[in-house]
Amino acid sequence: MKYAFPENFWWGSACSALQTEGESQGSGKGLTTWDHWFATEPNRFHNGVGPQNTSTFYQHWKADIQLLKQLNHNSFRTSISWARLIPEGTGEVNQEAVTFYNQVIDELIAQGIKPFITLFHFDMPMAMQEIGGWENRDVVAAYARYAETCFELFGDRVMHWFTFNEPIVPVEGGYLYDFHYPNVVDFRRAATVAYHTVLAHAQAVRAFRAGHYPGEIGIVLNLTPSYPRSQNPADVKAAHHCDLLFNRSFLDPVLCGEYPADLVAMLKAHDQLPACLPEDSALIADGKIDLLGVNYYQPRRVKCRDSAINPQAPFMPEWFFDSYEMPGRKMNPYRGWEIYEPGIYDILINLRDNYGNPRCFISENGMGVENEQRFIENGQINDQYRIEFISEHLKWLHKGISEGCNCLGYHMWTFIDNWSWCNAYKNRYGFIQLDLTTQQRTIKKSGEWFAATSLNNSFD
Ligand code: BGP
C-alpha cells in the first residue's frame, strides 16, 4: 500500500542549540546550568562527556544545512540559546550570536528549508538560575524580554516559533526525579516551576501578538499517553491522574487557556497549589497557541497503587499511580524504551476529539540506539530498525490524518547524532552518523530512506 501525505507536508527533523552548537564557552556565550553542572559534577554525565563536546554546528552550520538539503528536509527545528544571545539572561545582547543565528536562518531559507525556532530547550542561563530559575517570577519577565528580543531580531523571517520544548522535562528532571540541575526533589517547588513556565509561555505569546509579528507561535510538548492496566475504575483513575500531571498540566493551558479543574482540585486537596496572583488567569488565557508540536517517544503504562501511601512521606506524583511493565509490550532492543506506534494516533485523536482539532505536527519521534557502530556495513550504518520504526509510526500518523486530524508534518529526532544531556552520546538518534574524533558525517540508510520519502511525499 502507498502512504501519501497531504500537499506541503512538513518533512524534517529537530535538534537544539546546546546539543549541537558546541562553542559552549566561547564567542561571547554565557554559561548555562548544563555548563555549570558539568564543571561541578562531570561524573553525572555518560563517560564524563559534557556539553562542550558536540557536532560543532557553530562551525559546521553551512555544511550541515547542505546535508539537511540532501535529506530533502523542507523544514527544520533548532533552538536559540538564551545564554548565547543574552549572556547574563537580561541586558546586553551578544552581537556574535546575532550574526550566527542570522546566518543560520538566512541559509536555511535560501536552501528552501523553513526554520522552526524554539526559544527554550532545557538550557537555562546560569545567571538566571542563580536568582532562582523558574521559581522566581523575575525570570518569567526576563524570559519574556528575551523572547521579544528574538521576535525583533529574527521575526521578519522566522514564521514558526515555539516558546518551550518539553517544559515538563525540566520540572521532572530538576525538581522531582534528580536528572537535571538543580537536582531538587520537592513537589511544591516543582509545581511552582511548572506554573511559572506556563506564565512565561503566555507572556511570550502576549508579546508576539502585541508586536504583530508575521507567522505563528506555539509550544512543543512531549505527550505520553497514559494507558491504564485495565478498565477497572481504580486503574482508569490512576491513568487519569497521571495524564493530568504529566500531559494536561501544559496541554490544557496552551490549548484551552486554563488548567483542568480536576488537576487544580487534586493539588488543592493536598495543599500543593503554587502561589498565584489575581492577574494570572487572564495571562494564561492569552497564552493560547496557533500551532502545537507533539513529541512522541513512548507511552506510560499505569495502574492503581498496590500499597497504601505513607502519609509521612513527601508528596510525589506517585501518590496517585504505579507504573508497571505491560506483559508482551514491544521494546526497543537497542535502548530499552517501549515502542508503541498506535500511541501517535491516539494522541492525534485525543487532540481532534477533546481539544478542537488544533493545528499540530509531530515535532519529535525517534529511536535511540546504543553502540550503533556495530551495524556498519561498507562504511555506512544500515539502520533498517530505524526505517521500520519511522514507517510504522508514519502509518498510524497517516491513519490519523485520513480520519481528519489536523497534523501538518513529521519531524524526527534527529538530523545528526548529537549530545544528549546526561546520556551524552550513549544513544544515537541521527539520520547522519557522527564520528566524534574526526567530526566526519556519514548518512545512514535511514537518512536515504527519509530523503526519498520526503521527496515523494509518500512511501510504500
Ligand atoms: C527529547 C528531547 C531531546 C532529546 C530526546 C532524546 O525529550 O527534547 O532534547 O534529548 O528527547 O532523549 P535522550 O537523549 O534522553 O535519549
Side-chain angles (χ1 to χ4, degrees):
M1 171 170 170
K2 192 179 179 79
Y3 295 89
F5 288 83
E7 217 180 313
N8 300 322
F9 197 67
W10 296 327
W11 294 103
S13 58
C15 73
S16 81
L18 194 88
Q19 293 177 271
T20 54
E21 286 177 3
E23 195 67 1
S24 59
Q25 319 242 341
S27 301
K29 177 179 163 291
L31 293 184
T32 65
T33 46
W34 293 93
D35 304 305
H36 170 82
W37 193 24
F38 180 68
T40 48
E41 284 189 80
N43 57 336
R44 289 276 207 143
F45 295 75
H46 182 67
N47 285 343
V49 175
Q52 80 289 12
N53 209 333
T54 66
S55 53
T56 61
F57 187 69
Y58 197 81
Q59 282 80 26
H60 275 101
W61 57 271
K62 201 164 188 169
D64 281 352
I65 293 172
Q66 274 309 312
L67 288 170
L68 293 177
K69 182 127 186 89
Q70 237 175 293
L71 294 175
N72 289 325
H73 279 22
N74 58 22
S75 45
F76 173 64
R77 180 168 68 99
T78 185
S79 66
I80 289 176
S81 158
W82 181 359
R84 185 180 297 289
L85 193 70
I86 307 177
E88 291 302 311
T90 56
E92 214 159 307
V93 171
N94 170 14
Q95 291 308 321
E96 284 188 61
V98 176
T99 306
F100 170 66
Y101 291 119
N102 268 330
Q103 285 172 335
V104 170
I105 290 165
D106 289 344
E107 181 67 11
L108 284 167
I109 294 170
Q111 298 300 334
I113 301 167
K114 290 180 178 54
F116 286 32
I117 301 293
T118 314
L119 294 170
F120 188 93
H121 195 127
F122 305 169
D123 50 349
M124 179 65 90
M126 197 56 206
M128 295 287 94
Q129 190 63 42
E130 275 162 2
I131 59 166
W134 293 120
E135 289 185 83
N136 182 348
R137 270 191 181 243
D138 291 346
V139 172
V140 172
Y143 167 83
R145 283 195 298 275
Y146 153 65
E148 212 169 345
T149 306
C150 292
F151 303 148
E152 277 300 307
L153 288 168
F154 314 113
D156 56 335
R157 286 152 292 152
V158 174
M159 296 297 131
H160 307 278
W161 291 99
F162 301 91
T163 55
F164 284 87
N165 177 78
E166 302 191 349
I168 193 74
V169 170
V171 176
E172 291 179 65
Y175 295 87
L176 287 175
Y177 303 121
D178 188 24
F179 61 90
H180 278 202
Y181 193 80
N183 317 103
V184 170
V185 178
D186 181 321
F187 188 91
R188 188 185 295 280
R189 291 176 68 182
T192 300
V193 165
Y195 184 61
H196 286 174
T197 310
V198 166
L199 298 182
H201 156 84
Q203 290 265 22
V205 173
R206 254 191 192 169
F208 186 77
R209 308 256 184 255
H212 300 288
Y213 300 97
E216 55 186 348
I217 189 158
I219 193 167
V220 168
L221 301 181
N222 51 316
L223 298 179
T224 48
S226 301
Y227 297 111
R229 171 183 56 181
S230 73
Q231 287 310 306
N232 163 332
D235 286 338
V236 171
K237 192 166 164 200
H240 175 62
H241 282 146
C242 186
D243 187 39
L244 285 174
L245 286 163
F246 294 109
N247 295 321
R248 297 186 58 193
S249 53
F250 283 97
L251 189 61
D252 283 43
V254 303
L255 288 180
C256 313
E258 60 186 11
Y259 279 96
D262 30 357
L263 175 63
V264 176
M266 171 180 155
L267 295 187
K268 201 167 179 190
H270 293 273
D271 193 24
Q272 296 292 333
L273 277 182
C276 318
L277 296 179
E279 60 267 30
D280 289 355
S281 337
L283 176 59
I284 294 167
D286 282 352
K288 286 210 248 172
I289 54 170
D290 308 315
L291 174 66
L292 177 70
V294 175
N295 291 358
Y296 174 65
Y297 287 89
Q298 57 175 345
R300 284 178 197 266
R301 303 288 178 184
V302 179
K303 60 179 177 136
C304 64
R305 284 181 57 93
D306 283 334
S307 54
I309 297 158
N310 168 5
Q312 307 306 322
F315 182 83
M316 283 295 270
E318 287 69 21
W319 278 33
F320 299 103
F321 59 86
D322 271 345
S323 297
Y324 78 106
E325 294 191 1
M326 189 182 76
R329 65 193 181 147
K330 175 165 148 195
M331 299 298 288
N332 169 355
Y334 313 119
R335 191 218 165 135
W337 280 4
E338 180 176 352
I339 296 180
Y340 184 66
E341 300 91 346
I344 213 163
Y345 169 82
D346 291 347
I347 291 172
L348 294 179
I349 296 296
N350 179 37
L351 291 172
R352 184 193 70 184
D353 294 351
N354 300 316
Y355 291 93
N357 209 10
R359 281 165 63 78
C360 68
F361 75 113
I362 300 303
S363 40
E364 282 182 34
N365 180 220
M367 184 180 186
V369 174
E370 291 185 31
N371 302 321
E372 205 171 25
Q373 299 88 319
R374 70 188 129 148
F375 299 109
I376 292 182
E377 283 171 20
N378 304 320
Q380 182 189 41
I381 289 182
N382 185 357
D383 52 346
Q384 194 52 44
Y385 42 83
R386 189 170 280 112
I387 296 174
E388 219 162 277
F389 177 96
I390 303 171
S391 54
E392 290 307 309
H393 280 86
L394 279 175
K395 286 178 191 170
W396 284 98
L397 180 59
H398 185 269
K399 179 169 158 63
I401 294 172
S402 67
E403 292 174 19
C405 298
N406 203 0
C407 181
L408 307 169
Y410 177 81
H411 281 189
M412 272 294 279
W413 186 269
T414 179
F415 137 69
I416 189 165
D417 292 337
N418 66 21
W419 181 82
S420 186
W421 320 113
C422 294
N423 285 325
Y425 287 91
K426 188 164 165 233
N427 307 304
R428 301 287 183 126
Y429 283 88
F431 282 134
I432 296 174
Q433 180 200 359
L434 172 73
D435 182 322
L436 258 184
T437 324
T438 61
Q439 284 288 327
Q440 195 190 323
R441 282 110 158 104
T442 315
I443 298 186
K444 302 178 191 176
K445 269 271 182 308
S446 61
E448 291 172 352
W449 184 88
F450 195 79
T453 300
S454 316
L455 186 70
N456 300 330
N457 204 27
S458 66
F459 70 96
D460 294 310

